[in-house]
């Protein structure tokens, strides 16, 4: 007995086959069952694509003497050509019959025209039946036999025309007309039957043999000449038919090559979709893991930080052993570093997942920079680093998230102080951009970053060689978070650095974020009206 789960799975598979990609775009209510159906449908399509690619590879990669001649495709071209010329051939027979009334009895011409029309109609019906036949039947050999037999009957019907008796005495006009008719009909049949060489011979050779035999029965130079020309014309049109056949094969090879490339693109696209789906699943799993583990990690870390702080500050009593106090300080510092690392990873994960929301409000950019400079003053004094803050006067408010901008400025200032040697300088400048936006520029006198390492530094968890050699504490996520937050504000982030000359980072916000923006206002020269503040 089939279980409910199996019935649901069969229904999902059937629906996915009926609706194809559209069913894949709208997941049903049971994700587990639907995913199985989607995966099975994708596997089926990949197997079909692999079979088609293998078939094309075997066709194009075979030796010249074993390569397929595109039999099925050439049969399609033959049938299409015959169907397209369904009205041209009877019209030519009618014109020939009308002109031949000058030399041949109309009754005989009428009978011949009916026979020719019937043979042509039989050939058209055969081609039409072939086009409507299923693909598995079209590949069978008997269709080519039918085509050759039909062309043989059609060629014989035209050969009968050259055997019709004359009404009067022999006339050179009829002789020339016979030869011209032979050339026209052979040329027409060559164009129609070039893709099947046997059919070409079956439709043209009977006429040539009859006309040549008829000419050779007359003892005169003109008849011998026309007989030789008829044989030469037959050879010429046969060579022409072979050339048309080569052109058709070349065209079909190009088409097969194109289909092969399309098949490879489809395979690559399917693989890309599968890789993207797996990446999305991995990203969702990562987000769920971080959301679950954030509480599990922060709770014990808070206990570690609290107890280690009580121990190092000797709140409950003095610790006689100095090593224990040092251990407590190390535990507290390590826990604080681990907590900062977890916070940065969670912040970057929320931003990448699009779950970080901006709480925007009017604020002054220079005020945020002042607050961050005051907060960084303690760390700067510990290394005897001078902080210089310069900003243009009368800076209007901007529309932004205060917490996000504070995190951006603090991360950049922290990096500048971290990598600036003792006794160095860090300069912070706030001003207007050329398009009337606002920017923050932070320049340090540190060792700088080699040009080839700048892309590495800008990546998540990326650290330069100087940071690795000096073993500076950090995760390499600060600049990634800065770029993400600046991008959420529609701003731009740039980093300029040269080895031995320091580093400059610039964060600019567009003028659309400036409050009360007035395009007609002309700002004063910022270099002559800067206000400089020195911390410490």
């Amino acid at each position: 007995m089939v279980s409910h789960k199996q019935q649901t799975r069969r229904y999902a598979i059937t629906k996915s086959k009926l609706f194809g990609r559209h069913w894949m775009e709208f997941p049903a209510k049971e994700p587990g069952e639907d995913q199985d159906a989607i995966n099975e449908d994708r596997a089926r399509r990949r197997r079909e694509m692999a079979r088609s690619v293998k078939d094309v590879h075997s066709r194009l990669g075979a030796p010249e003497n074993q390569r397929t001649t595109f039999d099925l495709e050439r049969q399609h071209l033959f049938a299409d050509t015959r169907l397209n010329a369904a009205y041209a051939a009877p019209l030519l027979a009618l014109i020939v019959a009308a002109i031949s009334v000058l030399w041949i009895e109309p009754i005989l011409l009428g009978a011949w025209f009916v026979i020719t029309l019937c043979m042509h109609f039989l050939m058209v019906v055969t081609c039409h039946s072939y086009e409507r036949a299923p693909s598995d039947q079209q590949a069978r050999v008997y269709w080519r036999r039918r085509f050759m037999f039909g062309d043989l009957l059609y060629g014989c019907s035209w050969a009968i025309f050259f055997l019709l008796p004359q009404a009067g005495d022999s006339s050179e006009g009829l002789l020339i007309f016979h030869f011209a008719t032979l050339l026209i009909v052979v040329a027409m049949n060559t164009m129609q039957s070039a893709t099947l060489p046997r059919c070409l011979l079956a439709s043209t050779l009977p006429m040539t043999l009859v006309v040549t035999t008829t000419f050779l029965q007359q003892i005169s130079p003109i008849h011998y000449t026309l007989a030789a020309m008829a044989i030469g014309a037959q050879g010429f049109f046969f060579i022409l038919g072979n050339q048309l056949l080569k052109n058709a094969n070349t065209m079909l090879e190009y088409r097969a090559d194109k289909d092969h490339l399309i098949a490879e693109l489809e395979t690559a696209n399917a693989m890309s979709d599968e890789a993207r789906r797996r990446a999305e699943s991995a990203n969702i799993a990562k987000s769920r893991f971080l959301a679950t583990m954030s509480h599990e990690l922060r709770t014990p870390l808070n206990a570690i930080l609290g107890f280690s702080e009580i121990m190092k500050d000797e709140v409950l009593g003095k610790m006689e052993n100095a090593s224990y106090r040092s251990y407590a300080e190390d535990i507290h510092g390590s826990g604080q570093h681990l907590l900062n690392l977890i916070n940065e990873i969670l912040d970057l994960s929320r931003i990448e997942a699009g779950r970080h929301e901006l709480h925007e409000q009017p604020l002054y950019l220079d005020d945020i920079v002042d607050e961050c400079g005051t907060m960084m003053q303690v760390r700067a004094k510990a290394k005897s680093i001078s902080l210089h803050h310069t900003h243009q006067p009368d800076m209007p408010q901007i529309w932004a998230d205060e917490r996000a901008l504070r995190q951006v400025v603090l991360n950049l200032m922290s990096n500048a102080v971290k990598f600036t040697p003792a006794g160095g300088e860090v300069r912070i400048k706030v001003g207007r951009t050329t398009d009337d936006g606002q920017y923050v520029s932070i320049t340090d006198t540190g060792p700088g970053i080699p040009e080839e390492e700048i892309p590495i530094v800008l990546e998540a968890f990326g650290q330069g060689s100087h940071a690795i050699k000096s073993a500076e504490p950090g995760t390499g996520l600060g600049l990634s978070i800065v770029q993400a937050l600046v991008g959420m504000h529609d701003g731009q982030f740039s980093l300029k650095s040269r080895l031995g000359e320091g580093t400059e980072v610039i964060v600019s916000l567009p003028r659309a974020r400036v409050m009360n923006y007035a395009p007609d206002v002309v700002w004063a020269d910022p270099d002559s009206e800067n206000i400089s503040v020195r911390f410490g």
Side-chain angles (χ1 to χ4, degrees):
M1 182 175 183
V2 181
S3 63
H4 174 71
K5 183 176 181 180
Q6 292 176 340
Q7 291 178 353
T8 306
R9 185 167 182 268
R10 291 178 181 178
Y11 171 74
I13 294 173
T14 304
K15 195 170 183 181
S16 66
K17 291 180 179 178
L18 289 175
F19 294 94
R21 294 183 179 270
H22 299 288
W23 166 248
M24 294 168 59
E25 295 175 358
F26 299 94
K29 297 181 180 179
E30 297 183 6
E33 298 295 332
D34 292 341
Q35 193 60 48
D36 293 339
I38 292 173
N39 292 336
E40 186 169 340
D41 182 68
R42 287 176 175 171
R44 178 182 57 80
R45 288 190 289 110
R46 282 197 294 270
R47 287 194 297 269
E48 294 176 356
M49 192 64 63
R51 283 195 296 268
S52 63
V53 171
K54 183 178 180 181
D55 179 67
V56 175
H57 270 299
S58 62
R59 177 184 298 173
L60 298 179
E64 187 67 27
N65 56 351
Q66 297 178 0
R67 183 178 299 179
T68 178
T69 53
F70 301 98
D71 295 339
L72 186 61
E73 290 82 354
R74 291 193 291 109
Q75 287 180 186
H76 279 293
L77 292 177
F78 177 87
D80 289 339
T81 305
R82 280 307 178 102
L83 292 177
N84 292 331
Y87 298 101
L91 181 61
L92 176 62
L94 181 61
I95 294 174
V96 171
I99 297 175
S100 300
V101 174
L102 299 174
W103 301 284
I104 304 174
E105 291 292 337
I107 298 177
L108 297 178
L109 289 174
W112 167 81
F113 178 76
V114 171
I115 294 174
T116 304
L117 193 63
C118 291
M119 296 300 101
H120 175 71
F121 179 74
L122 177 63
M123 197 64 191
V124 171
V125 171
T126 303
C127 294
H128 186 69
S129 300
Y130 171 80
E131 290 293 332
R132 297 183 59 181
S135 57
D136 56 341
Q137 294 183 8
Q138 291 179 351
R140 296 182 179 178
V141 183
Y142 64 79
W143 282 109
R144 180 166 297 187
R145 296 174 181 173
R146 290 183 181 181
F147 290 151
M148 186 174 65
F149 183 71
D151 265 350
L152 179 61
L153 293 179
Y154 184 69
C156 292
S157 67
W158 275 100
I160 293 174
F161 168 74
F162 299 104
L163 296 176
L164 295 178
Q166 303 177 20
D169 296 335
S170 176
S171 173
E172 293 185 359
L174 179 61
L175 180 67
I176 297 175
F177 181 71
H178 274 179
F179 185 76
T181 303
L182 174 67
L183 294 181
I184 294 175
V185 175
V186 170
M188 181 186 67
N189 290 349
T190 300
M191 299 298 295
Q192 291 181 343
S193 306
T195 54
L196 298 179
R198 294 183 180 179
C199 294
L200 174 60
L201 290 176
S203 62
T204 59
L205 197 57
M207 291 182 292
T208 304
L209 293 177
V210 169
V211 171
T212 303
T213 304
T214 303
F215 287 164
L216 291 178
Q217 290 178 356
Q218 304 294 329
I219 306 176
S220 66
I222 185 62
H223 287 86
Y224 292 157
T225 302
L226 291 180
M229 291 185 64
I231 296 175
Q234 175 66 34
F236 168 77
F237 283 112
F238 184 75
I239 295 174
L240 179 62
N242 286 335
Q243 186 61 40
L244 293 176
L245 177 62
K246 291 180 180 179
N247 294 339
N249 285 335
T250 303
M251 179 192 68
L252 293 172
E253 286 181 3
Y254 288 152
R255 183 184 299 176
D257 195 8
K258 181 192 70 173
D259 295 340
H260 165 65
L261 294 177
I262 293 175
E264 287 190 345
L265 288 177
E266 288 289 339
T267 304
N269 188 32
M271 295 174 62
S272 176
D273 291 341
E274 184 68 17
R276 178 178 57 83
R277 185 189 64 81
R278 292 182 180 178
E280 290 175 353
S281 301
N283 189 38
I284 293 174
K286 181 195 70 173
S287 301
R288 290 177 179 174
F289 170 78
L290 292 175
T292 304
M293 295 302 295
S294 61
H295 176 73
E296 301 296 331
L297 292 174
R298 284 177 172 175
T299 300
L301 274 177
N302 289 330
I304 293 173
L305 290 174
F307 292 140
S308 61
E309 186 175 4
I310 292 175
M311 294 171 63
K312 74 181 183 67
D313 293 340
E314 300 177 339
V315 175
L316 301 180
K318 189 173 182 179
M319 297 179 63
E320 300 296 337
N321 194 324
S323 298
Y324 285 170
R325 288 196 302 271
S326 176
Y327 294 159
E329 292 175 358
D330 292 341
I331 292 173
H332 187 271
S334 300
Q336 189 67 43
H337 175 68
L338 183 57
L339 182 60
N340 293 334
L341 173 62
I342 293 173
N343 290 334
E344 289 183 349
I345 293 176
L346 291 176
D347 289 341
L348 185 60
S349 299
R350 281 196 299 269
I351 294 173
E352 290 179 347
R355 298 178 180 178
H356 186 88
E357 297 181 359
L358 296 179
H359 302 282
E360 299 169 306
Q361 60 182 347
L363 51 89
Y364 290 98
L365 182 60
D366 50 353
D367 289 346
I368 294 179
V369 175
D370 287 339
E371 295 175 4
C372 295
T374 303
M375 296 170 61
M376 293 298 300
Q377 186 61 36
V378 177
R379 295 181 56 183
K381 281 185 176 181
K383 297 180 64 175
S384 301
I385 296 175
S386 301
L387 295 180
H388 300 276
H389 178 201
T390 303
H391 64 86
Q392 294 183 10
D394 301 328
M395 295 281 290
Q397 289 181 318
I398 60 174
W399 184 257
D401 187 329
E402 181 178 0
R403 179 181 175 275
L405 287 187
R406 183 178 287 107
Q407 186 175 3
V408 168
V409 177
L410 280 176
N411 284 356
L412 297 179
M413 284 188 178
S414 176
N415 284 345
V417 173
K418 181 193 303 183
F419 295 107
T420 299
E425 294 182 351
V426 175
R427 296 186 176 274
I428 304 101
K429 184 177 180 181
V430 182
R432 301 181 181 89
T433 60
T434 56
D435 61 348
D436 296 321
Q438 294 187 14
Y439 73 91
V440 179
S441 172
I442 300 177
T443 307
D444 61 56
T445 57
I449 306 173
E451 184 176 356
E452 64 273 8
E453 292 185 3
I454 291 180
I456 300 176
V457 172
L458 296 178
E459 293 179 355
F461 299 101
Q463 291 184 330
S465 58
H466 177 74
I468 297 175
K469 292 178 182 178
S470 60
E472 292 284 353
T475 61
L477 293 176
L479 292 181
S480 298
I481 295 175
V482 167
Q483 294 180 84
L485 292 176
V486 172
M488 294 179 67
H489 284 82
D490 302 322
Q492 294 182 353
F493 173 82
S494 63
L495 186 148
K496 303 176 183 178
S497 182
R498 299 186 66 179
L499 193 62
E501 297 182 6
T503 303
E504 179 185 9
V505 291
I506 302 174
V507 173
S508 58
L509 298 177
R511 67 179 183 181
R513 293 249 170 209
V514 178
M515 305 291 293
N516 300 324
Y517 168 69
D520 297 331
V521 175
V522 179
W523 302 102
D525 185 4
D527 296 332
S528 61
E529 298 185 8
N530 284 347
I531 299 176
S532 299
V533 179
R534 179 183 176 91
F535 295 97

